[in-house]
Amino acid sequence: MIKPNKLAKNNFLSSLDLSTDEVLHILDLANNFKNKKLNIDLSNKVLGLIFDKSSTRTRVSFQVAMTRLGGTTIDLNPSTSQIGRGEPIKDTARVLSRYCDVIAIRTFDHLDLEEYAKWSTKPVINALTDLEHPCQALADFLTIKEEFLNFKDVVLTFIGDGNNVANSLILCGALLGVEVRIACPKGYCPNPLFIKKAREIYKNENMLRITNDPYTAVSGANVLYTDVWSSMGQENQKEEKDKVFNGFTLDSDLVGKADQDAIILHCLPAYRDKEITDKVFESKKSRIFEQAENRMHAQQALLSCLLS
Ligand code: CP
Ligand code: NVA
């Protein structure tokens, strides 16, 4: 029977903290958890959750994942703890690592997450920063693997803002050898260092394409993925971004240019008739709610490895 292996790195701050084999191992474990073929006991283990931004899926899927493993979670509300009053991260991290066995953090600046990891003596998980959303990418590729059984010849097209979700897709896609195409407006491209890093991992420039034309990007693709145009923390840019992203809505026209068996993914929350039409969102091709469920299975797998 498959067992969780210890990961080479103590933290999961970036998709790049895992090797290809480790991603495949986590996806394998997640599949076993999902099919109730694996029972791991993490009783007495405590996951601390810090959310400086809102969350439904990440918060609840971590809570349920930990409960299913026999452990518990503490959801630290920044506004009712000293975190919101400005206690230094290095102090909070040192205190929490004396109570908790692992800490998942959602915050704005990725450097703040790294500061937690620097001072914590327990594993730190990225539950989303402005730069990356690596837990989301694990669930995304689990959903893709369920659909296509392996990653060979799968083309994943992301249409939207090249920020956290796109960045993690690029990196995890490179580790798994999945061809990734990003269609974004000018000025909203993914992180250039990640593009460079992904191309080094692929050892093939053509496996990652960045374009400003959604039609070129979706042509023949197997997975069409989109995300909100205005991310958390960008509420004041909404009007401007709605204008800039005009033409980047995932609609039936774009879907018609993809492979006929293409599936639709969205990390959620979704804004209908902005980044995706209701028709596409609700279509038979959508695997959006499988993807949301997979957050929980992938995180059960991740937690089992980090705490093994
Ligand atoms: N996809 C995702 O991370 O959702 P939440 O913001 O609800 O956690
Ligand atoms: N890019 C989005 C992802 C939400 C899960 C955001 O940062 O708000």
Side-chain angles (χ1 to χ4, degrees):
M1 195 177 72
I2 185 169
K3 289 224 171 69
N5 293 335
K6 197 165 170 38
L7 303 173
K9 293 205 176 159
N10 203 33
N11 300 310
F12 185 51
L13 308 184
S14 164
S15 293
L16 286 180
D17 284 337
L18 299 178
S19 66
T20 299
D21 284 348
E22 286 174 334
V23 177
L24 291 171
H25 176 61
I26 287 172
L27 299 187
D28 210 2
L29 283 172
N31 181 263
N32 277 269
F33 277 120
K34 188 168 184 175
N35 294 308
K36 308 216 171 359
K37 288 192 203 143
L38 191 58
N39 211 354
I40 301 294
D41 181 17
L42 296 185
S43 49
N44 297 322
K45 298 286 185 191
V46 179
L47 164 66
L49 296 169
I50 300 174
F51 284 90
D52 288 332
K53 295 179 177 180
S54 304
S55 173
T56 299
R57 281 143 290 271
T58 308
R59 186 196 306 277
V60 179
S61 59
F62 264 119
Q63 286 170 334
V64 179
M66 204 56 187
T67 305
R68 286 181 170 213
L69 293 165
T72 51
T73 48
I74 300 175
D75 192 350
L76 283 139
N77 181 340
S79 65
T80 53
S81 64
Q82 303 291 0
I83 296 169
R85 294 182 61 239
E87 183 168 6
I89 290 173
K90 62 181 179 181
D91 296 352
T92 307
R94 281 178 287 182
V95 170
L96 291 182
S97 28
R98 290 182 182 234
Y99 305 140
C100 300
D101 300 284
V102 52
I103 307 167
I105 300 165
R106 168 169 289 194
T107 194
F108 294 83
D109 192 340
H110 197 81
L111 292 175
D112 286 345
L113 178 78
E114 289 180 344
E115 175 82 351
Y116 271 108
K118 178 176 168 194
W119 291 96
S120 171
T121 56
K122 300 292 169 54
V124 171
I125 298 172
N126 181 351
L128 181 147
T129 62
D130 291 344
L131 188 65
E132 269 203 70
H133 197 2
C135 292
Q136 180 69 53
L138 289 177
D140 301 340
F141 284 103
L142 177 60
T143 314
I144 293 168
K145 190 157 188 272
E146 281 174 350
E147 189 69 29
F148 299 103
L149 305 180
N150 61 53
F151 297 116
K152 201 175 157 331
D153 300 327
V154 171
V155 176
L156 162 62
T157 295
F158 176 93
I159 303 166
D161 195 356
N163 67 351
N164 44 20
V165 168
N167 283 334
S168 290
L169 282 176
I170 285 177
L171 296 175
C172 200
L175 290 173
L176 294 170
V178 174
E179 181 180 334
V180 176
R181 302 177 191 161
I182 307 286
C184 52
K186 285 199 179 76
Y188 293 91
C189 287
N191 183 293
L193 293 177
F194 289 170
I195 294 175
K196 187 167 174 282
K197 186 72 202 169
R199 288 191 169 135
E200 280 167 22
I201 297 170
Y202 283 123
K203 298 191 185 77
N204 177 351
E205 287 270 312
N206 297 332
M207 291 294 278
L208 174 61
R209 290 172 203 256
I210 317 290
T211 171
N212 307 127
D213 177 11
Y215 280 91
T216 315
V218 296
S219 174
N222 308 100
V223 182
L224 305 182
Y225 193 135
T226 188
D227 179 18
V228 291
W229 289 344
S230 298
S231 287
M232 290 178 277
Q234 301 181 332
E235 288 76 12
N236 60 355
Q237 299 171 33
K238 205 174 157 303
E239 220 172 295
E240 184 200 330
K241 290 192 94 174
D242 281 357
K243 277 191 210 140
V244 175
F245 282 78
N246 186 22
F248 285 80
T249 304
L250 183 53
D251 58 14
S252 305
D253 221 28
L254 277 177
V255 174
K257 304 283 183 282
D259 185 85
Q260 61 173 5
D261 296 322
I263 60 166
I264 310 296
L265 298 182
H266 191 310
C267 55
L268 300 176
Y271 292 83
R272 263 92 159 170
D273 298 321
K274 296 281 184 194
E275 75 271 9
I276 190 165
T277 60
D278 185 59
K279 194 167 169 204
V280 171
F281 186 97
E282 300 291 351
S283 73
K284 284 208 177 75
K285 290 177 174 291
S286 166
R287 299 291 180 276
I288 292 170
F289 293 100
E290 284 77 9
Q291 181 188 8
E293 176 185 332
N294 284 340
R295 294 293 307 276
M296 177 176 66
H297 306 302
Q299 284 155 206
Q300 257 186 283
L302 175 70
L303 289 164
S304 309
C305 291
L306 287 173
L307 293 172
S308 72

